[in-house]
Amino acid sequence: MLDLKFIRENPELVADGMRKKGEGIELREFLEIDEKRRMIIQEVEELKRKRNEVSEEVARLKKKREDATSIIEEMREVSKKIKDLDGELSKYEGELKGLLLSIPNMPHESVPVGKDDTENVEVRRWETPRNFDFEAKAHWDIGTDLDILDFERASKISGARFAIYKGLGARLERALITFMLDLHTKEHGYFEIYPPYLVNSDSMTGTGQLPKFGEDMFKCTGTDYYLIPTAEVPVTNLRRDEILNEDELPTYYVAYTACFRSEAGAYGKDTRGLIRQHQFDKVELVKYVKPETSYDELEKLVANAEEVLKRLKIPYRVTLMCTGDLGFAAAKKYDLEVWMPSYGRYVEISSCSNFEDFQARRANIRYRPTGGGKLQHVHTLNGSGLAAGRCFAALLENYQNEDGSVTIPEVLIPYMGVDRIG
RNA sequence: GGAGAGAUGGCCGAGUAGGUUGAAGGCGAUCGCCUGCUAAGCGAUUAUAGGGGCUAAACCUCUAUCGAGGGUUCGAAUCCCUCUCUCUCCGCCA
């Protein structure tokens, strides 16, 4: 959510930012409603001031046991008028709030302008993809042949876009998650959170999934609960409506959760394998920081996520999203992409974003500067560190051997107890 | 699921036979004083949001806010209704 005053005073800037993100929202209606709202506020507050004065006068008269019926009579009218105006006002405020919640965040000045993912910018690459001197298999074939993945039975018990991890496959998924959590908590200074997987609509609004992207999520019928699409939602909302002390910043959280996405509108995409599932595991990094440090913190966050792939020794690259591919809430976003032999290209495995105060304003997360001063919104950031399912897939493909077995990366052997599968 | 109790400022905690209570008191914090250092002490300050004034900040002023939403009333933290959450007891249960 942007600051109302900022939009009022810089409509051109905001329109420009929305254009760069590819959003065609018209600000004129917004500004008109804001104008009407302020006029009513002036009128109704004047009446309330009068009412307050007269009420005190009534109290004085009654104390002296004098008659007050005439001014009470008069105030009855005023009160009715106030009620009407208040009703009108809340109508406009509702509309304004609705529009405010649907205006995207502004892109940071360091973000390249572009229309879609074809204009993202590659920032760096790590290691070169391996050359196979045999026919490399896709992870769904490797996993099925080793009997550590079972897609057929998953579709029987649930449906399309689900997977069952079996035996050493289940253990590998768990090993990846534990390895990532250990790395981030023990070496990168993150505090571990294990949050609920079901959250209410206020939380979904706080991080920006609602009101615009309800279709992408699973909602529990007859309740206000949504299955989380990412741990970003419960963890960023952890401090919703709270005031932090400055010395609490920066705060780093890491959380493992399952994630649930309806993948509406993605029917033809990535239909095989683990890449696009309704349920997947992810370790998520979330930061609350002071505004002046948030861009440094973003670089550190990306480096923390990259460290996972470096230790697993899986080739990857980092890309900077252009304005058109930034998404609704982010001001700046990097993606980590792993090399996926079956795709013959790099595939997204992590998304690291700085939301500046966009989420903090929606979720009302502020901090009190030490030594006084006005409350300020914190800046929030998050990034996958990493998506475990896609990591699993990349690992199988990049570590496969000619005989169909899969070598376990060195850092995972302590967690696996074996050095290969198959 | 049944029965009861509760929700007040950054925190703790007063205040309900409706009328200067934005809200006592305490803690914490900030500034100043005192002090060989520390500790203690003394004084002052200390909510948020939204309007309006001001080029703007500072500042001034108004309005709102005592879990949320509605109602009664000239006037509600205080009365009524609905909802949410927390706690206690019972039942059930992983």
Side-chain angles (χ1 to χ4, degrees):
Chain A
M1 188 163 80
L2 298 180
D3 180 35
L4 176 59
K5 272 189 198 146
F6 178 81
I7 302 174
R8 186 187 299 148
E9 286 161 16
N10 306 280
E12 287 310 314
L13 258 171
V14 174
D16 185 55
M18 291 200 293
R19 231 180 342 264
K20 285 176 179 163
K21 277 205 168 182
E23 297 262 356
I25 293 178
E26 184 58 68
L27 277 182
R28 194 174 48 215
E29 186 195 5
F30 180 89
L31 295 170
E32 278 170 11
I33 293 173
D34 178 49
E35 182 66 29
K36 279 188 210 152
R37 167 183 158 267
R38 282 186 292 156
M39 288 192 21
I40 295 172
I41 284 174
Q42 287 185 46
E43 190 178 349
V44 77
E45 286 192 349
E46 172 59 24
L47 290 175
K48 283 180 180 172
R49 189 191 59 73
K50 189 170 175 194
R51 183 180 67 183
N52 289 343
E53 271 178 11
V54 174
S55 291
E56 279 177 36
E57 179 64 19
V58 171
R60 261 194 300 272
L61 291 175
K62 291 228 167 166
K63 207 169 263 176
K64 286 188 284 184
R65 299 184 178 283
E66 288 176 22
D67 180 61
T69 46
S70 73
I71 53 175
I72 286 176
E73 208 46 51
E74 188 188 331
M75 278 304 107
R76 200 164 283 158
E77 289 303 309
V78 173
S79 279
K80 191 180 174 312
K81 188 81 194 290
I82 288 173
K83 201 171 183 177
D84 291 346
L85 285 172
D86 266 340
E88 207 177 330
L89 183 61
S90 70
K91 192 190 82 184
Y92 286 126
E93 302 217 296
E95 287 175 15
L96 202 63
K97 180 86 184 195
L99 289 170
L100 208 49
L101 287 175
S102 61
I103 293 175
N105 201 2
M106 297 291 102
H108 188 251
E109 58 187 13
S110 63
V111 172
V113 177
K115 63 177 189 315
D116 55 34
D117 59 0
T118 61
E119 296 186 64
N120 294 339
V121 176
E122 182 173 313
V123 178
R124 58 182 168 270
R125 287 185 186 211
W126 186 83
E127 295 288 311
T128 30
R130 163 186 172 195
N131 276 317
F132 292 92
D133 48 16
F134 57 91
E135 179 109 7
K137 295 195 285 187
H139 68 272
W140 51 87
D141 286 330
I142 301 169
T144 306
D145 292 347
L146 288 171
D147 201 27
I148 58 173
L149 287 178
D150 189 338
F151 293 99
E152 275 187 35
R153 290 196 179 89
S155 74
K156 175 177 67 182
I157 61 176
S158 294
R161 295 199 190 284
F162 287 92
I164 297 165
Y165 296 73
K166 305 199 290 193
L168 288 176
R171 194 190 293 178
L172 179 57
E173 179 79 353
R174 186 158 50 85
L176 281 167
I177 292 162
T178 312
F179 161 67
M180 293 179 200
L181 286 171
D182 283 348
L183 175 65
H184 297 310
T185 55
K186 292 176 183 170
E187 298 188 43
H188 295 155
Y190 289 79
F191 184 76
E192 187 172 349
I193 302 287
Y194 184 75
Y197 290 5
L198 290 171
V199 300
N200 57 35
S201 53
D202 285 342
S203 293
M204 287 298 187
T205 306
T207 31
Q209 282 74 21
L210 289 176
K212 289 193 80 180
F213 307 102
E215 290 305 298
D216 299 336
M217 300 179 298
F218 288 107
K219 183 170 192 199
C220 298
T221 315
T223 72
D224 188 41
Y225 292 134
Y226 293 81
L227 277 165
I228 54 171
T230 158
E232 161 193 353
V233 178
V235 179
T236 304
N237 278 283
L238 204 61
R239 304 298 218 109
R240 172 151 50 86
D241 295 320
E242 290 188 30
I243 294 167
L244 317 195
N245 287 320
E246 183 173 336
D247 59 19
E248 289 182 77
L249 302 174
T251 290
Y252 297 175
Y253 291 123
V254 60
Y256 154 72
T257 68
C259 302
F260 303 89
R261 298 192 182 172
S262 75
E263 298 296 346
Y267 296 113
K269 278 187 190 164
D270 309 307
T271 49
R272 303 201 67 184
L274 296 172
I275 301 305
R276 195 173 296 275
Q277 299 274 295
H278 284 314
Q279 175 186 324
F280 61 95
D281 293 313
K282 184 158 60 67
V283 170
E284 183 77 2
L285 308 170
V286 175
K287 291 184 173 186
Y288 297 63
V289 307
K290 284 189 258 181
E292 58 270 26
T293 65
S294 68
Y295 282 93
D296 291 339
E297 294 285 358
L298 177 61
E299 299 300 322
K300 280 157 69 180
L301 181 72
V302 174
N304 292 153
E306 285 181 67
E307 189 61 25
V308 176
L309 291 170
K310 284 180 179 166
R311 301 225 182 164
L312 290 172
K313 296 197 168 73
I314 298 173
Y316 69 88
R317 66 171 189 172
V318 180
T319 56
L320 174 60
M321 303 293 99
C322 72
T323 53
D325 202 25
L326 253 189
F328 177 70
K332 184 171 185 174
K333 176 159 83 175
Y334 291 104
D335 272 5
L336 267 56
E337 301 177 345
V338 283
W339 179 254
M340 199 70 76
S342 63
Y343 280 59
R345 61 172 172 86
Y346 289 92
V347 172
E348 178 189 341
I349 197 169
S350 170
S351 216
C352 302
S353 310
N354 184 1
F355 302 95
E356 298 189 354
D357 63 5
F358 188 81
Q359 291 181 326
R361 186 169 279 115
R362 289 176 160 246
N364 192 27
I365 309 169
R366 295 169 297 174
Y367 75 97
R368 187 179 302 285
T370 41
K374 285 191 73 100
L375 297 184
Q376 285 197 55
H377 289 100
V378 302
H379 279 195
T380 60
L381 301 90
N382 68 54
S384 344
L386 311 161
R390 289 188 178 182
C391 201
F392 185 108
L395 196 157
L396 291 195
E397 294 195 8
N398 285 283
Y399 276 85
Q400 63 179 304
N401 302 308
E402 189 164 10
D403 64 2
S405 66
V406 172
T407 303
I408 299 298
E410 216 166 301
V411 290
L412 291 184
I413 294 175
Y415 297 96
M416 288 297 289
V418 297
D419 59 7
R420 69 162 47 210
I421 301 175

